[in-house]
C-alpha cells in the first residue's frame, strides 16, 4: 500500500475501474495523492503487478460489512448426540426419542450412538432392533443419512432433520 510498493512498473486502475496504464510506482503515488486516495496493490503476482487507486479505509469497511452480512445468512448446523444401550426399556427409548425429535424440530442433526459392553457384543441383533425402533419413532421428523453402522463397540447413525 502507498509507499510500501517497490515495483518499478505497475498497471494502475482508477477508483472507478478505468485503466490509467502502466507507469512507475512513484507516478501512480503522485496521482493517488492528488486525489486524496491510497494506492493499493490488488494483484501482486500479475506481470506487471496491478494497483488500484482507492480510499483504503472505505474499502476495508465495505469488506468487513460484506463479510458480516454473509455470516448472518449462514446457518450453523449442530450435531446433538443421543446414547442408547441394547437393553433399554421402551419408556426410556421413547424419552430419548422425544429428546431427539425436539432437536430435529430445531433443525439440528442427531447422532444416535448405541453402546455395547462386554457380553452385549454377542447380541448385535438386539442392538440393531433397538436402533431400528428408534429410527421408526423419529421418522416423521428426520431420516437417517446412512443405515446404522458399527464403529468399534458402538452402532452409530446420524439422523438429518426433514425439510
Amino acid at each position: 500500500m502507498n509507499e510500501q510498493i517497490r515495483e518499478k512498473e505497475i498497471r494502475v486502475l482508477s477508483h472507478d475501474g478505468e485503466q490509467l496504464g502502466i507507469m512507475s510506482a512513484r507516478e501512480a503515488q503522485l496521482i493517488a495523492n492528488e486525489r486524496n486516495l491510497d494506492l493499493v496493490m490488488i494483484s501482486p503476482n500479475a506481470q506487471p503487478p496491478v494497483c488500484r487507486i482507492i480510499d483504503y479505509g472505505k474499502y476495508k469497511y465495505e469488506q468487513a460489512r460484506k463479510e458480516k452480512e454473509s455470516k448472518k445468512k449462514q446457518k450453523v448446523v449442530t450435531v446433538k448426540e443421543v446414547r442408547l444401550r441394547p437393553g433399554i426399556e421402551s419408556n426410556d427409548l421413547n424419552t430419548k426419542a422425544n429428546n431427539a425429535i425436539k432437536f430435529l424440530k430445531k433443525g439440528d442433526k442427531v447422532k444416535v450412538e448405541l453402546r455395547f459392553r462386554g457380553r452385549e457384543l454377542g447380541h448385535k441383533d438386539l442392538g440393531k432392533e433397538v436402533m431400528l425402533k428408534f429410527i421408526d419413532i423419529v421418522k416423521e421428523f428426520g431420516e437417517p443419512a446412512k443405515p446404522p453402522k458399527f464403529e468399534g463397540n458402538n452402532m452409530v447413525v446420524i439422523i438429518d432433520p426433514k425439510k
Side-chain angles (χ1 to χ4, degrees):
M1 187 172 125
N2 291 336
E3 283 79 23
Q4 297 171 350
I5 298 172
R6 298 279 179 225
E7 314 301 329
K8 287 183 180 172
E9 286 192 328
I10 55 174
R11 182 178 305 275
V12 181
L13 303 174
S14 69
H15 63 281
D16 50 350
E18 176 188 330
Q19 284 210 20
L20 300 178
I22 297 173
M23 58 183 77
S24 72
R26 186 173 288 132
E27 288 175 51
Q29 185 62 51
L30 289 173
I31 294 171
N33 289 343
E34 285 173 14
R35 298 180 184 181
N36 290 332
L37 297 172
D38 299 306
L39 183 67
V40 179
M41 188 174 294
I42 55 174
S43 182
N45 298 332
Q47 211 51 33
V50 179
C51 293
R52 190 169 198 164
I53 298 175
I54 54 174
D55 183 354
Y56 189 68
K58 185 177 179 182
Y59 172 74
K60 289 292 281 183
Y61 171 75
E62 291 292 326
Q63 290 292 91
R65 208 174 93 228
K66 282 180 188 174
E67 193 174 301
K68 189 176 179 183
E69 196 66 33
S70 68
K71 280 184 182 178
K72 257 188 211 176
K73 293 177 184 173
Q74 289 178 347
K75 185 178 186 316
V76 178
V77 177
T78 55
V79 179
K80 301 287 189 170
E81 191 170 319
V82 176
R83 289 185 181 156
L84 306 173
R85 294 286 309 273
I88 192 168
E89 293 294 321
S90 61
N91 286 335
D92 295 335
L93 184 69
N94 287 333
T95 303
K96 299 268 187 176
N98 287 335
N99 285 337
I101 288 169
K102 213 183 309 175
F103 298 144
L104 291 168
K105 282 182 179 176
K106 275 200 271 179
D108 298 331
K109 290 184 176 187
V110 177
K111 178 181 177 182
V112 183
E113 188 175 291
L114 194 127
R115 290 187 166 181
F116 293 93
R117 287 200 207 142
R119 291 186 212 144
E120 292 173 348
L121 279 167
H123 302 286
K124 291 182 179 180
D125 54 327
L126 293 175
K128 186 105 171 151
E129 284 177 30
V130 170
M131 186 66 83
L132 293 175
K133 191 186 283 186
F134 185 90
I135 291 170
D136 190 49
I137 293 171
V138 300
K139 71 180 173 198
E140 287 180 41
F141 303 97
E143 66 269 346
K146 297 177 191 166
K149 67 177 181 189
F150 272 93
E151 292 179 358
N153 292 346
N154 303 326
M155 184 185 291
V156 178
V157 67
I158 294 179
I159 300 175
D160 295 329
K162 282 194 176 175
K163 303 285 189 262

